[in-house]
Amino acid sequence: MQISSTALLSVAYLAPVQYYTKFFLYDKILIEANENFQKQSFRNRCNILSANGVLPLTIPVLKEEPKVKTKELRIDNSLEWQKNHWTSIESAYSSSPFFEFYMDEFIFFYNRKFKYLFDFNMKIQQYIFNQLEILPHIALSDQFIEPGTSGYDDYRESIHPKRRKQRADPTFKPAFYYQVFQDRYGFIQNLSIIDLLFNEGPNAENILKQSVDPNSFIRHKGEK
């Protein structure tokens, strides 16, 4: 597989591990800011591992028209989604090795109201970058990029919670790491980045790097 220098991603809520590996593989990341919102996707959903198995957390949104740009989509703050999400996260990860290390700053996003989904996702993503101590080269699209446009590796739809919409990704080789409840469910790959962060802490960066097929780096750099 020949990869481009730029990955095209949708904005995402606490995106899965696969999503975050792209920030190590590509020189540039372009976040799609002008697409129409796609429901039942990682744009407003993440998957964590709870005592009862994989648990999806979904941010409720106000979709007032048939087609709404993701960057203009408002969060439905009439519902207590922040309280419910934080309760679920705390219940799932309170016994993880690094939950207490991150929780005081992380809870900020569940105590403050955000009007737009796009803004919330970008803010919490920046927090994740800070914890991973990475400074990716990110830009926002200034117009919608049609599927199949040359010069990009497009992951906007292929990194998806529904298996039937996922596309094979030979650059992603999920590395094993410790998980709470793994004695009950075994290792569950490609959960939300917070599953990796709360369980591995500062080692999360190494796990992400290990989850990129090393041959992808060789092809990307043009080495023999």
Side-chain angles (χ1 to χ4, degrees):
M1 175 187 174
Q2 182 65 43
I3 71 172
S4 303
S5 63
T6 303
L8 181 57
L9 299 173
S10 66
V11 71
Y13 171 46
L14 296 176
V17 169
Q18 180 188 7
Y19 183 102
Y20 276 89
T21 61
K22 305 313 172 194
F23 296 97
F24 293 92
L25 178 58
Y26 288 87
D27 293 332
K28 299 177 183 178
I29 300 291
L30 191 65
I31 302 293
E32 177 60 77
N34 289 280
E35 64 176 1
N36 290 326
F37 175 69
Q38 303 294 317
K39 62 181 182 179
Q40 298 183 337
S41 71
F42 285 126
R43 291 161 180 81
N44 68 324
R45 168 179 168 173
C46 70
N47 289 331
I48 65 172
L49 184 59
S50 73
N52 295 316
V54 177
L55 175 66
L57 301 178
T58 302
I59 300 175
V61 294
L62 296 168
K63 197 171 181 183
E64 298 164 336
E65 300 177 6
K67 292 184 179 181
V68 181
K69 290 186 184 298
T70 302
K71 68 179 181 181
E72 298 172 354
L73 190 68
R74 293 189 295 157
I75 296 173
D76 186 354
N77 285 313
S78 68
L79 304 175
E80 293 187 332
W81 70 271
Q82 288 172 293
K83 177 182 177 181
N84 294 336
H85 282 208
W86 181 251
T87 298
S88 296
I89 291 170
E90 187 173 30
S91 176
Y93 296 109
S94 60
S95 62
S96 64
F98 292 93
F99 180 75
E100 291 187 359
F101 182 79
Y102 295 113
M103 65 171 291
D104 288 343
E105 291 184 53
F106 196 76
I107 198 174
F108 163 82
F109 296 97
Y110 296 90
N111 287 331
R112 175 186 171 189
K113 298 294 184 184
F114 288 79
K115 183 176 181 179
Y116 294 103
L117 176 69
F118 192 93
D119 294 341
F120 175 79
N121 285 344
M122 293 299 289
K123 289 285 188 182
I124 204 167
Q125 183 181 77
Q126 185 57 56
Y127 169 77
I128 298 296
F129 289 150
N130 292 342
Q131 306 319 303
L132 295 172
E133 297 185 344
I134 61 175
L135 297 170
H137 184 175
I138 297 177
L140 303 181
S141 64
D142 54 13
Q143 61 183 7
F144 177 68
I145 299 174
E146 294 290 342
T149 301
S150 61
Y152 305 98
D153 287 343
D154 190 350
Y155 297 97
R156 289 173 296 181
E157 301 303 326
S158 61
I159 299 179
H160 201 282
K162 294 188 177 297
R163 288 187 179 274
R164 62 184 176 83
K165 291 194 173 184
Q166 295 170 4
R167 189 179 70 222
D169 182 358
T171 71
F172 178 53
K173 304 293 182 183
F176 174 85
Y177 62 90
Y178 167 83
Q179 290 176 325
V180 178
F181 310 121
Q182 72 178 31
D183 58 334
R184 192 177 306 180
Y185 300 107
F187 176 65
I188 306 296
Q189 66 183 41
N190 210 25
L191 293 170
S192 167
I193 188 66
I194 63 170
D195 185 83
L196 174 58
L197 195 63
F198 290 149
N199 284 312
E200 289 288 337
N203 191 46
E205 179 183 357
N206 290 328
I207 298 295
L208 287 170
K209 290 178 179 178
Q210 293 168 21
S211 297
V212 178
D213 175 19
N215 292 321
S216 300
F217 283 115
I218 294 173
R219 286 190 294 267
H220 179 51
K221 300 302 182 184
E223 299 173 1
K224 300 294 184 181

